Structures are given as structure tokens and as C-alpha cells.
Coordinates of all heavy atoms in Angstrom, one line a residue:
M169 N 0.8 -1.2 0.0 CA 0.0 0.0 0.0 C 0.9 1.2 0.0 O 1.6 1.5 0.9 CB -0.9 0.0 1.2 CG -1.6 1.2 1.5 SD -2.7 1.3 3.0 CE -2.2 0.1 4.1
S170 N 0.8 1.9 -1.1 CA 1.6 3.2 -1.2 C 0.6 4.3 -1.6 O -0.3 4.0 -2.3 CB 2.7 3.1 -2.1 OG 2.3 2.9 -3.4
I171 N 0.9 5.5 -1.1 CA -0.1 6.6 -1.4 C 0.4 7.3 -2.7 O 1.5 7.6 -2.9 CB -0.1 7.6 -0.3 CG1 -0.7 6.9 0.9 CG2 -0.9 8.8 -0.6 CD1 -0.8 7.8 2.2
N172 N -0.6 7.4 -3.6 CA -0.4 8.2 -4.9 C -0.9 9.6 -4.6 O -2.1 9.7 -4.5 CB -1.2 7.5 -6.0 CG -1.1 8.2 -7.3 OD1 -1.0 9.4 -7.3 ND2 -1.2 7.5 -8.4
L173 N 0.0 10.5 -4.5 CA -0.5 11.9 -4.1 C -1.5 12.5 -5.0 O -2.4 13.3 -4.6 CB 0.8 12.8 -4.0 CG 1.8 12.4 -2.9 CD1 3.0 13.4 -3.0 CD2 1.2 12.4 -1.6
K174 N -1.5 12.1 -6.3 CA -2.5 12.7 -7.2 C -3.9 12.0 -7.0 O -4.9 12.7 -7.1 CB -2.0 12.5 -8.6 CG -2.9 13.1 -9.7 CD -2.4 13.0 -11.1 CE -3.3 13.6 -12.1 NZ -2.8 13.5 -13.4
E175 N -3.9 10.7 -6.8 CA -5.2 10.0 -6.7 C -5.7 9.8 -5.3 O -6.9 9.6 -5.1 CB -5.0 8.6 -7.3 CG -4.6 8.6 -8.8 CD -5.7 9.2 -9.7 OE1 -6.9 8.9 -9.4 OE2 -5.4 9.9 -10.6
D176 N -4.8 9.8 -4.3 CA -5.2 9.4 -2.9 C -5.5 10.5 -1.9 O -5.7 10.2 -0.8 CB -4.2 8.4 -2.4 CG -4.1 7.1 -3.2 OD1 -5.0 6.9 -4.0 OD2 -3.1 6.4 -3.1
I177 N -5.4 11.7 -2.4 CA -5.8 12.9 -1.5 C -6.9 13.6 -2.2 O -6.8 14.1 -3.3 CB -4.6 13.8 -1.3 CG1 -3.4 13.0 -0.6 CG2 -5.0 15.0 -0.5 CD1 -2.1 13.8 -0.5
R178 N -8.0 13.6 -1.5 CA -9.2 14.2 -2.1 C -9.9 15.1 -1.1 O -10.0 14.8 0.1 CB -10.2 13.1 -2.5 CG -9.7 12.2 -3.5 CD -9.6 12.9 -4.8 NE -9.2 11.9 -5.9 CZ -9.2 12.2 -7.1 NH1 -9.6 13.4 -7.6 NH2 -8.7 11.3 -8.0
P179 N -10.5 16.2 -1.5 CA -11.3 17.1 -0.7 C -12.6 16.4 -0.3 O -13.2 15.6 -1.1 CB -11.5 18.4 -1.5 CG -11.4 17.9 -2.9 CD -10.4 16.8 -2.9
I180 N -13.2 16.8 0.8 CA -14.4 16.2 1.3 C -15.6 16.4 0.3 O -16.4 15.5 0.1 CB -14.8 16.7 2.7 CG1 -16.0 16.0 3.3 CG2 -15.1 18.2 2.6 CD1 -15.7 14.6 3.7
S181 N -15.6 17.5 -0.4 CA -16.6 17.8 -1.4 C -16.5 16.7 -2.6 O -17.6 16.3 -3.1 CB -16.5 19.2 -2.0 OG -15.2 19.4 -2.6
Y182 N -15.3 16.3 -3.0 CA -15.2 15.3 -4.0 C -15.7 14.0 -3.5 O -16.4 13.2 -4.2 CB -13.7 15.2 -4.4 CG -13.5 14.2 -5.6 CD1 -13.6 14.7 -6.9 CD2 -13.3 12.9 -5.4 CE1 -13.5 13.8 -8.0 CE2 -13.1 12.0 -6.4 CZ -13.2 12.5 -7.7 OH -13.1 11.6 -8.8
I183 N -15.4 13.6 -2.2 CA -15.8 12.4 -1.6 C -17.4 12.3 -1.6 O -18.0 11.3 -1.9 CB -15.3 12.2 -0.2 CG1 -13.7 12.2 -0.2 CG2 -15.8 10.9 0.5 CD1 -13.0 11.1 -0.9
K184 N -18.0 13.5 -1.2 CA -19.4 13.5 -1.1 C -20.1 13.2 -2.5 O -21.1 12.5 -2.5 CB -19.9 14.9 -0.6 CG -19.6 15.1 0.8 CD -20.0 16.6 1.2 CE -19.8 16.9 2.6 NZ -20.1 18.3 3.0
T185 N -19.6 13.8 -3.5 CA -20.2 13.6 -4.8 C -19.8 12.4 -5.6 O -20.4 12.0 -6.5 CB -19.9 14.9 -5.7 OG1 -18.5 15.0 -5.9 CG2 -20.5 16.1 -5.2
H186 N -18.7 11.7 -5.1 CA -18.2 10.5 -5.8 C -18.0 9.3 -4.8 O -17.1 8.5 -4.9 CB -16.9 10.8 -6.5 CG -17.0 11.8 -7.6 ND1 -16.8 13.2 -7.3 CD2 -17.3 11.7 -8.9 CE1 -16.9 13.8 -8.4 NE2 -17.2 13.0 -9.4
A187 N -18.9 9.3 -3.8 CA -18.7 8.3 -2.7 C -18.6 6.8 -3.2 O -17.7 6.1 -2.9 CB -19.8 8.4 -1.7
A188 N -19.5 6.4 -4.1 CA -19.5 5.1 -4.7 C -18.2 4.8 -5.4 O -17.6 3.7 -5.2 CB -20.7 4.8 -5.6
D189 N -17.7 5.7 -6.2 CA -16.5 5.6 -6.9 C -15.3 5.5 -6.0 O -14.4 4.7 -6.2 CB -16.2 6.8 -7.9 CG -17.3 6.8 -9.0 OD1 -17.8 5.8 -9.4 OD2 -17.5 7.9 -9.6
M190 N -15.3 6.3 -4.9 CA -14.2 6.2 -3.9 C -14.2 4.9 -3.2 O -13.1 4.3 -3.0 CB -14.3 7.4 -2.9 CG -14.1 8.8 -3.5 SD -12.4 9.1 -4.0 CE -12.4 8.5 -5.7
L191 N -15.3 4.4 -2.9 CA -15.4 3.0 -2.2 C -14.9 2.0 -3.2 O -14.1 1.1 -2.7 CB -16.8 2.7 -1.8 CG -17.3 3.5 -0.6 CD1 -18.8 3.2 -0.3 CD2 -16.4 3.3 0.7
N192 N -15.3 2.0 -4.4 CA -14.7 1.1 -5.4 C -13.2 1.2 -5.5 O -12.5 0.2 -5.6 CB -15.4 1.3 -6.8 CG -16.8 0.8 -6.8 OD1 -17.2 -0.1 -6.0 ND2 -17.6 1.4 -7.7
Y193 N -12.7 2.4 -5.5 CA -11.3 2.7 -5.7 C -10.5 2.1 -4.5 O -9.5 1.4 -4.7 CB -11.0 4.2 -5.8 CG -9.5 4.5 -5.9 CD1 -8.9 4.4 -7.1 CD2 -8.8 4.9 -4.8 CE1 -7.5 4.7 -7.2 CE2 -7.5 5.2 -4.9 CZ -6.8 5.1 -6.1 OH -5.5 5.4 -6.2
I194 N -10.9 2.4 -3.3 CA -10.2 1.8 -2.1 C -10.2 0.3 -2.0 O -9.3 -0.3 -1.6 CB -10.6 2.5 -0.8 CG1 -12.1 2.2 -0.5 CG2 -10.3 4.0 -0.8 CD1 -12.5 2.6 0.9
N195 N -11.4 -0.3 -2.5 CA -11.5 -1.7 -2.4 C -10.7 -2.4 -3.5 O -10.1 -3.5 -3.4 CB -12.9 -2.2 -2.5 CG -13.6 -2.0 -1.1 OD1 -13.3 -2.8 -0.2 ND2 -14.4 -1.0 -1.0
D196 N -10.6 -1.7 -4.7 CA -9.8 -2.3 -5.8 C -8.3 -2.1 -5.7 O -7.5 -3.0 -5.9 CB -10.3 -1.6 -7.1 CG -11.7 -2.0 -7.5 OD1 -12.2 -3.0 -7.0 OD2 -12.2 -1.3 -8.4
H197 N -7.9 -0.9 -5.2 CA -6.5 -0.6 -5.1 C -5.8 -0.8 -3.8 O -4.6 -0.8 -3.6 CB -6.3 0.9 -5.5 CG -6.6 1.1 -7.0 ND1 -7.8 1.5 -7.4 CD2 -5.8 1.0 -8.1 CE1 -7.8 1.6 -8.7 NE2 -6.6 1.4 -9.1
K198 N -6.7 -1.0 -2.7 CA -6.2 -1.1 -1.3 C -5.4 0.0 -0.9 O -4.5 -0.1 0.0 CB -5.4 -2.4 -1.2 CG -6.1 -3.7 -1.6 CD -7.3 -3.9 -0.7 CE -8.0 -5.2 -1.1 NZ -9.4 -5.3 -0.7
N199 N -5.6 1.2 -1.5 CA -4.9 2.4 -1.1 C -5.9 3.3 -0.2 O -7.1 3.4 -0.6 CB -4.5 3.3 -2.3 CG -3.3 2.8 -2.9 OD1 -2.7 1.8 -2.5 ND2 -2.8 3.5 -3.9
P200 N -5.4 3.8 0.9 CA -6.3 4.7 1.7 C -6.5 6.0 0.9 O -5.6 6.4 0.2 CB -5.6 4.9 3.0 CG -4.1 4.7 2.6 CD -4.1 3.7 1.5
I201 N -7.6 6.7 1.1 CA -7.8 8.0 0.6 C -7.7 9.0 1.8 O -8.4 8.9 2.8 CB -9.2 8.1 -0.1 CG1 -9.4 7.2 -1.2 CG2 -9.5 9.6 -0.5 CD1 -8.6 7.5 -2.4
I202 N -6.8 10.0 1.6 CA -6.7 11.0 2.6 C -7.8 12.1 2.3 O -7.8 12.6 1.2 CB -5.3 11.7 2.6 CG1 -4.2 10.7 2.7 CG2 -5.2 12.8 3.7 CD1 -4.2 9.8 3.9
V203 N -8.7 12.3 3.2 CA -9.8 13.3 3.0 C -9.4 14.6 3.6 O -9.0 14.7 4.8 CB -11.1 12.8 3.7 CG1 -12.2 13.8 3.4 CG2 -11.4 11.4 3.2
T204 N -9.5 15.7 2.8 CA -9.1 17.0 3.3 C -10.4 17.9 3.4 O -11.4 17.7 2.8 CB -8.1 17.7 2.3 OG1 -8.8 17.9 1.0 CG2 -6.9 16.9 2.1
Q205 N -10.2 18.8 4.3 CA -11.3 19.8 4.5 C -10.6 21.2 4.8 O -9.7 21.3 5.6 CB -12.1 19.4 5.8 CG -13.3 20.3 6.0 CD -14.2 19.8 7.2 OE1 -13.6 19.3 8.1 NE2 -15.5 20.0 7.0
N206 N -11.0 22.1 4.0 CA -10.3 23.4 4.0 C -8.8 23.3 3.8 O -8.0 24.0 4.5 CB -10.7 24.2 5.3 CG -12.1 24.4 5.4 OD1 -12.8 24.7 4.5 ND2 -12.6 24.3 6.6
G207 N -8.4 22.4 3.0 CA -7.0 22.2 2.7 C -6.1 21.5 3.7 O -4.9 21.3 3.5
E208 N -6.8 21.0 4.7 CA -6.1 20.2 5.8 C -6.5 18.8 5.8 O -7.7 18.5 5.6 CB -6.3 20.8 7.1 CG -5.7 22.2 7.3 CD -5.9 22.7 8.7 OE1 -6.2 21.9 9.7 OE2 -5.9 24.0 8.9
A209 N -5.6 17.9 6.0 CA -6.0 16.5 6.2 C -6.9 16.3 7.4 O -6.5 16.8 8.5 CB -4.7 15.6 6.3
R210 N -8.0 15.7 7.2 CA -9.0 15.5 8.3 C -9.4 14.1 8.6 O -10.0 13.8 9.6 CB -10.2 16.4 8.0 CG -10.0 17.9 7.9 CD -9.7 18.5 9.1 NE -10.9 18.5 9.9 CZ -11.0 19.0 11.2 NH1 -9.9 19.5 11.8 NH2 -12.1 18.9 11.8
G211 N -9.2 13.2 7.6 CA -9.6 11.8 7.8 C -9.0 10.9 6.8 O -8.3 11.4 5.9
V212 N -9.3 9.6 7.0 CA -8.8 8.6 6.0 C -9.9 7.7 5.7 O -10.6 7.2 6.6 CB -7.6 7.8 6.7 CG1 -7.1 6.7 5.7 CG2 -6.5 8.7 7.0
L213 N -10.1 7.4 4.4 CA -11.1 6.4 3.9 C -10.3 5.1 3.6 O -9.3 5.2 2.8 CB -11.8 7.0 2.7 CG -13.0 6.2 2.2 CD1 -14.1 6.1 3.2 CD2 -13.5 7.0 0.9
L214 N -10.6 4.0 4.2 CA -9.9 2.8 4.2 C -10.8 1.6 3.9 O -11.9 1.6 4.5 CB -9.1 2.6 5.5 CG -8.0 1.6 5.6 CD1 -6.9 1.9 4.7 CD2 -7.6 1.6 7.1
D215 N -10.3 0.7 3.1 CA -11.1 -0.5 2.9 C -11.1 -1.4 4.1 O -10.2 -1.3 5.0 CB -10.6 -1.3 1.7 CG -9.3 -2.0 1.9 OD1 -8.3 -1.2 1.8 OD2 -9.2 -3.2 2.1
V216 N -12.2 -2.2 4.3 CA -12.4 -3.0 5.5 C -11.3 -4.0 5.7 O -10.8 -4.2 6.9 CB -13.8 -3.7 5.4 CG1 -13.9 -4.7 6.6 CG2 -14.9 -2.7 5.4
E217 N -10.8 -4.7 4.7 CA -9.7 -5.7 4.9 C -8.4 -5.0 5.4 O -7.8 -5.5 6.3 CB -9.5 -6.4 3.5 CG -8.4 -7.4 3.6 CD -8.1 -8.1 2.3 OE1 -8.8 -7.8 1.3 OE2 -7.2 -8.9 2.2
S218 N -8.1 -3.9 4.8 CA -6.9 -3.2 5.3 C -7.0 -2.7 6.7 O -6.1 -2.8 7.5 CB -6.6 -2.0 4.4 OG -6.3 -2.4 3.1
Y219 N -8.2 -2.2 7.0 CA -8.5 -1.8 8.4 C -8.4 -3.0 9.4 O -7.7 -2.8 10.4 CB -9.9 -1.2 8.5 CG -10.3 -0.7 9.9 CD1 -9.7 0.5 10.4 CD2 -11.2 -1.4 10.7 CE1 -10.0 0.9 11.7 CE2 -11.5 -1.0 12.0 CZ -10.9 0.1 12.5 OH -11.2 0.5 13.7
Q220 N -9.0 -4.1 9.0 CA -8.9 -5.3 9.9 C -7.4 -5.7 10.1 O -7.0 -6.1 11.2 CB -9.7 -6.4 9.3 CG -9.7 -7.7 10.3 CD -10.4 -7.4 11.6 OE1 -11.6 -6.9 11.6 NE2 -9.8 -7.6 12.7
N221 N -6.6 -5.7 9.0 CA -5.2 -6.1 9.1 C -4.5 -5.1 10.0 O -3.6 -5.5 10.8 CB -4.6 -6.0 7.7 CG -5.0 -7.2 6.8 OD1 -5.5 -8.2 7.3 ND2 -4.9 -7.0 5.5
M222 N -4.8 -3.8 10.0 CA -4.2 -2.8 10.8 C -4.5 -3.1 12.3 O -3.7 -3.0 13.2 CB -4.6 -1.4 10.4 CG -4.0 -0.3 11.2 SD -4.4 1.3 10.6 CE -6.2 1.3 11.0
I223 N -5.8 -3.4 12.6 CA -6.2 -3.7 13.9 C -5.5 -4.9 14.4 O -5.1 -5.0 15.6 CB -7.8 -3.8 14.0 CG1 -8.5 -2.5 13.7 CG2 -8.2 -4.4 15.3 CD1 -8.1 -1.4 14.6
D224 N -5.4 -6.0 13.6 CA -4.8 -7.2 14.0 C -3.3 -6.9 14.3 O -2.8 -7.4 15.3 CB -4.9 -8.3 12.9 CG -6.3 -8.8 12.7 OD1 -7.2 -8.5 13.6 OD2 -6.6 -9.4 11.7
A225 N -2.6 -6.1 13.5 CA -1.2 -5.8 13.7 C -1.0 -5.0 15.0 O -0.1 -5.3 15.8 CB -0.7 -5.0 12.5
L226 N -1.9 -4.1 15.3 CA -1.8 -3.3 16.5 C -2.1 -4.2 17.7 O -1.4 -4.0 18.8 CB -2.8 -2.1 16.5 CG -2.5 -1.0 15.5 CD1 -3.6 0.0 15.5 CD2 -1.2 -0.3 16.0
S227 N -3.0 -5.1 17.6 CA -3.3 -6.1 18.7 C -2.0 -6.9 19.0 O -1.7 -7.1 20.2 CB -4.5 -7.0 18.4 OG -5.6 -6.2 18.3
L228 N -1.4 -7.4 18.0 CA -0.2 -8.2 18.1 C 0.9 -7.3 18.8 O 1.6 -7.8 19.7 CB 0.3 -8.7 16.8 CG 1.5 -9.6 16.8 CD1 1.3 -10.8 17.7 CD2 1.8 -10.1 15.4
M229 N 1.1 -6.1 18.3 CA 2.1 -5.2 18.9 C 1.8 -5.0 20.4 O 2.7 -4.9 21.2 CB 2.2 -3.9 18.2 CG 2.8 -4.0 16.8 SD 2.7 -2.5 15.8 CE 3.7 -1.5 16.8
K230 N 0.5 -4.9 20.8 CA 0.2 -4.7 22.2 C 0.5 -5.9 23.0 O 1.1 -5.8 24.1 CB -1.3 -4.4 22.3 CG -1.8 -4.1 23.7 CD -1.2 -2.8 24.3 CE -1.8 -2.5 25.6 NZ -1.1 -1.5 26.3
L231 N 0.3 -7.1 22.5 CA 0.7 -8.3 23.2 C 2.2 -8.4 23.4 O 2.7 -8.8 24.4 CB 0.2 -9.6 22.4 CG -1.3 -9.8 22.4 CD1 -1.6 -11.0 21.5 CD2 -1.7 -10.1 23.9
I232 N 2.9 -8.0 22.3 CA 4.4 -8.0 22.4 C 4.8 -7.0 23.5 O 5.7 -7.3 24.3 CB 5.1 -7.6 21.1 CG1 4.8 -8.8 20.1 CG2 6.5 -7.3 21.2 CD1 5.2 -8.5 18.7
Q233 N 4.2 -5.8 23.6 CA 4.5 -4.8 24.6 C 4.3 -5.3 26.0 O 5.1 -5.2 26.9 CB 3.7 -3.5 24.3 CG 4.0 -2.4 25.4 CD 3.1 -1.3 25.2 OE1 2.0 -1.4 24.7 NE2 3.5 -0.1 25.6
I234 N 3.1 -6.0 26.2 CA 2.8 -6.6 27.5 C 3.8 -7.6 27.8 O 4.3 -7.7 29.0 CB 1.4 -7.2 27.4 CG1 0.3 -6.1 27.3 CG2 1.1 -8.1 28.7 CD1 -1.1 -6.6 27.0
S235 N 4.2 -8.5 26.9 CA 5.3 -9.5 27.1 C 6.6 -8.8 27.5 O 7.3 -9.3 28.5 CB 5.4 -10.4 25.9 OG 4.2 -11.0 25.6
E236 N 7.0 -7.8 26.8 CA 8.3 -7.1 27.1 C 8.2 -6.5 28.5 O 9.2 -6.6 29.2 CB 8.6 -6.1 26.0 CG 9.0 -6.7 24.7 CD 9.2 -5.6 23.7 OE1 8.8 -4.5 23.8 OE2 9.9 -6.0 22.7
N237 N 7.1 -5.9 28.9 CA 6.9 -5.4 30.2 C 7.0 -6.5 31.3 O 7.7 -6.3 32.3 CB 5.6 -4.6 30.4 CG 5.6 -3.3 29.6 OD1 6.6 -2.8 29.1 ND2 4.4 -2.8 29.3
S238 N 6.4 -7.6 31.0 CA 6.5 -8.7 32.0 C 7.9 -9.2 32.1 O 8.4 -9.5 33.3 CB 5.6 -9.9 31.5 OG 4.2 -9.5 31.6
I239 N 8.6 -9.3 31.1 CA 10.0 -9.7 31.1 C 10.9 -8.8 31.9 O 11.7 -9.2 32.8 CB 10.6 -9.9 29.7 CG1 9.9 -11.1 29.0 CG2 12.1 -10.1 29.7 CD1 10.2 -11.2 27.5
S240 N 10.7 -7.5 31.6 CA 11.5 -6.5 32.4 C 11.2 -6.4 33.9 O 12.0 -6.0 34.7 CB 11.3 -5.1 31.7 OG 10.0 -4.6 31.9
E241 N 9.9 -6.9 34.2 CA 9.5 -6.9 35.6 C 9.9 -8.2 36.3 O 9.6 -8.5 37.4 CB 8.0 -6.6 35.7 CG 7.6 -5.2 35.3 CD 6.1 -5.1 35.2 OE1 5.4 -6.0 35.5 OE2 5.7 -4.0 34.9
G242 N 10.5 -9.1 35.5 CA 10.9 -10.4 36.0 C 9.8 -11.4 36.2 O 10.0 -12.4 36.9
K243 N 8.7 -11.2 35.5 CA 7.6 -12.1 35.6 C 7.7 -13.2 34.6 O 7.1 -13.2 33.5 CB 6.3 -11.4 35.4 CG 6.0 -10.3 36.5 CD 4.7 -9.6 36.1 CE 4.4 -8.5 37.2 NZ 3.2 -7.7 36.8
L244 N 8.6 -14.1 34.9 CA 9.0 -15.2 33.9 C 8.7 -16.6 34.6 O 8.8 -16.7 35.8 CB 10.4 -15.1 33.6 CG 10.9 -13.8 32.9 CD1 12.5 -13.8 32.8 CD2 10.3 -13.6 31.6
H245 N 8.4 -17.5 33.7 CA 8.3 -18.9 34.2 C 9.1 -19.8 33.2 O 9.0 -19.6 32.0 CB 6.8 -19.3 34.1 CG 5.9 -18.5 35.0 ND1 5.8 -18.6 36.4 CD2 5.1 -17.5 34.7 CE1 5.0 -17.8 36.9 NE2 4.5 -17.0 35.9
K246 N 9.7 -20.8 33.8 CA 10.5 -21.7 32.9 C 9.5 -22.5 32.2 O 8.5 -23.0 32.7 CB 11.4 -22.6 33.8 CG 12.5 -21.8 34.5 CD 13.4 -22.7 35.3 CE 14.5 -21.9 36.0 NZ 15.3 -22.7 36.8
N247 N 9.8 -22.8 30.9 CA 8.9 -23.5 30.0 C 8.6 -24.9 30.6 O 7.5 -25.5 30.5 CB 9.3 -23.5 28.6 CG 10.6 -24.2 28.3 OD1 11.3 -24.6 29.3 ND2 11.0 -24.4 27.1
K248 N 9.7 -25.6 31.2 CA 9.4 -26.9 31.7 C 8.4 -26.9 32.9 O 7.6 -27.8 33.0 CB 10.7 -27.5 32.2 CG 11.4 -26.9 33.4 CD 12.7 -27.6 33.8 CE 13.2 -27.0 35.1 NZ 14.2 -27.8 35.7
D249 N 8.4 -25.8 33.7 CA 7.4 -25.7 34.7 C 6.0 -25.5 34.2 O 5.1 -26.0 34.7 CB 7.8 -24.5 35.7 CG 9.1 -24.8 36.4 OD1 9.5 -25.9 36.5 OD2 9.8 -23.8 36.8
V250 N 5.9 -24.7 33.1 CA 4.6 -24.4 32.5 C 4.0 -25.7 31.9 O 2.9 -26.0 32.2 CB 4.7 -23.3 31.4 CG1 3.4 -23.2 30.6 CG2 5.1 -22.0 32.0
F251 N 4.9 -26.4 31.2 CA 4.4 -27.7 30.6 C 4.1 -28.7 31.7 O 3.1 -29.5 31.5 CB 5.4 -28.2 29.6 CG 5.4 -27.4 28.3 CD1 6.4 -26.6 27.9 CD2 4.3 -27.6 27.4 CE1 6.4 -25.9 26.7 CE2 4.2 -26.9 26.2 CZ 5.3 -26.0 25.9
A252 N 4.8 -28.7 32.7 CA 4.5 -29.7 33.8 C 3.2 -29.3 34.4 O 2.4 -30.2 34.7 CB 5.6 -29.6 34.9
E253 N 2.9 -28.1 34.6 CA 1.6 -27.6 35.2 C 0.5 -28.0 34.2 O -0.6 -28.4 34.7 CB 1.6 -26.1 35.5 CG 0.4 -25.6 36.1 CD 0.2 -26.1 37.6 OE1 1.2 -26.4 38.2 OE2 -1.0 -26.1 38.0
L254 N 0.7 -27.8 33.0 CA -0.3 -28.1 32.0 C -0.6 -29.6 32.0 O -1.8 -30.0 31.9 CB 0.1 -27.7 30.6 CG 0.1 -26.1 30.3 CD1 0.7 -25.8 28.9 CD2 -1.3 -25.6 30.3
R255 N 0.4 -30.4 32.0 CA 0.2 -31.9 32.0 C -0.6 -32.3 33.3 O -1.4 -33.1 33.2 CB 1.6 -32.6 32.0 CG 2.2 -32.6 30.6 CD 3.5 -33.4 30.6 NE 4.2 -33.1 29.4 CZ 5.2 -32.2 29.3 NH1 5.7 -31.6 30.4 NH2 5.8 -32.0 28.1
K256 N -0.2 -31.7 34.4 CA -0.9 -32.0 35.6 C -2.4 -31.6 35.5 O -3.3 -32.4 36.0 CB -0.2 -31.2 36.8 CG -0.8 -31.4 38.1 CD 0.0 -30.6 39.1 CE -0.9 -30.1 40.3 NZ -0.2 -29.2 41.2
N257 N -2.7 -30.5 34.9 CA -4.1 -30.1 34.8 C -4.9 -31.0 33.8 O -6.0 -31.3 34.0 CB -4.2 -28.6 34.3 CG -3.8 -27.6 35.4 OD1 -3.8 -27.9 36.6 ND2 -3.4 -26.4 34.9
I258 N -4.2 -31.4 32.8 CA -4.8 -32.3 31.8 C -5.1 -33.7 32.4 O -6.2 -34.2 32.2 CB -3.9 -32.5 30.5 CG1 -3.9 -31.2 29.7 CG2 -4.4 -33.6 29.7 CD1 -2.9 -31.1 28.6
E259 N -4.2 -34.2 33.2 CA -4.4 -35.5 33.9 C -5.5 -35.4 34.9 O -6.2 -36.4 35.2 CB -3.1 -35.9 34.6 CG -2.0 -36.3 33.6 CD -0.6 -36.5 34.2 OE1 -0.5 -36.4 35.5 OE2 0.3 -36.8 33.5
A260 N -5.7 -34.2 35.5 CA -6.8 -34.1 36.5 C -8.2 -34.1 35.8 O -9.2 -34.3 36.5 CB -6.6 -32.8 37.2
I261 N -8.2 -33.9 34.6 CA -9.6 -33.9 33.9 C -10.2 -35.2 33.7 O -9.9 -36.3 33.5 CB -9.4 -33.2 32.5 CG1 -9.1 -31.8 32.7 CG2 -10.7 -33.3 31.7 CD1 -8.9 -31.0 31.4

């Protein structure tokens, strides 16, 4: 996904009058549209698949951050202890 400055930056008035075309464009090209108002960037129009991928990536980054914080705080468990506990729990079922 790369931004084409000529095609991917549009004023809100253009989006309003060409909404269906813009939705087709973002779904076909997978490029976000930067929406401007009074010459300033004010929003982004993005296809659903790209949005979901972005949310998934951010969620993964959050999990990595939580893990890094746990490591720095010394909240670690040896893998052999974790697996032993899991085996114990499975046997109890």
C-alpha cells in the first residue's frame, strides 16, 4: 500500500459527490484516501480488509509490549514448569 499523491488525496466535497467511486477505488487498489477539509488532512477512507489487518497488527504489537513489560519486571516462568503444570491439569480432567 503506497499513497499516490495525485489520486489518494481528495477534498471532502469530492468524496461527497463520488462516494461510490471512492469506495470502489479503495477496495480495488487497497490504497487509503486522505480526506481534506479546507486544505487540511481531516480523515482517512480505508477498505475494510486493510482496516482489519491494521487492527490485528496493533493487537499483536500490544501483546508484544505486554510481554516485554512482563520480562522487564521479572515475571517469567520456565517452560518446563509451565508444561509440567499443563500436564498436571490435563491429567486431572
Side-chain angles (χ1 to χ4, degrees):
M169 168 180 22
S170 63
I171 293 180
N172 177 329
L173 296 177
K174 184 176 180 182
E175 298 293 324
D176 297 342
I177 299 175
R178 298 290 181 169
I180 189 70
S181 58
Y182 186 88
I183 302 295
K184 287 178 183 178
T185 58
H186 298 91
D189 293 337
M190 291 290 89
L191 289 174
N192 288 335
Y193 178 83
I194 61 170
N195 281 289
D196 293 344
H197 294 90
K198 304 298 182 200
N199 280 5
I201 299 289
I202 308 301
V203 181
T204 63
Q205 186 177 34
N206 299 323
E208 294 183 21
R210 300 287 292 176
V212 177
L213 189 59
L214 189 65
D215 69 283
V216 173
E217 183 182 355
S218 296
Y219 179 75
Q220 185 65 54
N221 289 340
M222 183 177 64
I223 294 300
D224 293 345
L226 289 172
S227 296
L228 183 58
M229 290 174 63
K230 182 65 176 171
L231 288 173
I232 291 169
Q233 180 186 28
I234 291 168
S235 298
E236 287 177 342
N237 290 343
S238 293
I239 290 168
S240 68
E241 294 170 3
K243 296 178 182 176
L244 303 172
H245 301 281
K246 293 181 181 179
N247 63 351
K248 68 177 186 169
D249 296 338
V250 171
F251 283 109
E253 184 69 24
L254 287 172
R255 284 187 195 96
K256 181 178 147 186
N257 290 339
I258 289 171
E259 291 172 1
I261 294 177

